Amino acid sequence: MCESENMMTKSDLTGSKDIFRVGVRVPPFWPEKPAIWFAQIEGQFAISNITADTTKFFYVVSHLDPRYASEVEDIIVSPPADDKYGRLKTELIKRLSESREKKVHQLLTHEELGDRKPSQFLRHLQHLAGPKVPDEFLRTIWSSRLPSNIQSI
């Protein structure tokens, strides 16, 4: 990870111009939720005033584990001429995110409360369901999967 650095030139000592460079703190890649990871890294880009497409692209590439880099090897090896970062982001999210069908199947068959709080479990089910599933239907699934002593409450 890069740490903050202050850089000054000779002219800075005379007070003519200050140059400060802030390093980007790249969080560990989160393959289960790559869209959230990209939101975090984009926050770091904004803090560091990094706007160049190529710089963003190479920051992301340099922080991907080999197993996730291999998912987008075609883009890394032969990046597009324009919007390198945007294309890498889109494809990495698409290729690592679970399909909509798989999420709905997981919602309907496999999900249980586990060690989550009921409110955390509901948010998880809402994430799996997406915005098009009615809340009433989702709450029915949610309440039926809570332990019987909590269901009565």
Side-chain angles (χ1 to χ4, degrees):
M1 282 193 207
C2 299
E3 294 185 12
S4 297
E5 299 175 12
N6 289 332
M7 294 179 45
M8 297 180 75
T9 64
K10 280 188 178 182
S11 63
D12 293 331
L13 298 175
T14 63
S16 65
K17 185 177 178 183
D18 290 335
I19 298 174
F20 297 98
R21 183 172 62 175
V22 178
V24 176
R25 289 191 168 154
V26 179
F29 184 65
W30 197 1
E32 299 83 23
K33 297 196 177 190
I36 292 174
W37 182 79
F38 274 102
Q40 291 176 316
I41 198 168
E42 286 170 3
Q44 290 296 313
F45 290 154
I47 289 169
S48 300
N49 202 25
I50 294 174
T51 58
D53 180 61
T54 302
T55 304
K56 292 178 182 182
F57 175 81
F58 285 115
Y59 258 111
V60 170
V61 168
S62 68
H63 286 86
L64 286 177
D65 286 346
R67 64 182 166 211
Y68 306 118
S70 68
E71 291 290 330
V72 287
E73 179 180 359
D74 56 322
I75 297 168
I76 294 171
V77 173
S78 300
D82 297 322
D83 197 25
K84 292 173 182 58
Y85 170 76
R87 177 76 187 278
L88 178 64
K89 175 184 172 181
T90 300
E91 288 301 315
L92 198 54
I93 290 170
K94 183 172 90 176
R95 295 176 191 185
L96 291 180
S97 296
E98 294 177 289
S99 72
R100 181 84 191 114
E101 181 180 309
K102 187 175 179 182
K103 285 182 179 182
V104 170
H105 184 265
Q106 183 179 352
L107 169 71
L108 295 175
T109 60
H110 297 295
E111 288 305 300
E112 294 184 14
L113 178 65
D115 60 355
R116 295 176 272 222
K117 294 178 183 178
S119 59
Q120 290 173 320
F121 183 50
L122 178 59
R123 281 192 299 276
H124 176 69
L125 293 178
Q126 287 169 331
H127 169 73
L128 290 174
K132 295 183 179 179
V133 174
D135 277 344
E136 300 80 32
F137 177 72
L138 201 54
R139 288 188 183 275
T140 301
I141 292 173
W142 171 71
S143 64
S144 71
R145 301 219 181 128
L146 294 174
S148 55
N149 61 332
I150 296 176
Q151 283 181 17
S152 62
I153 297 172

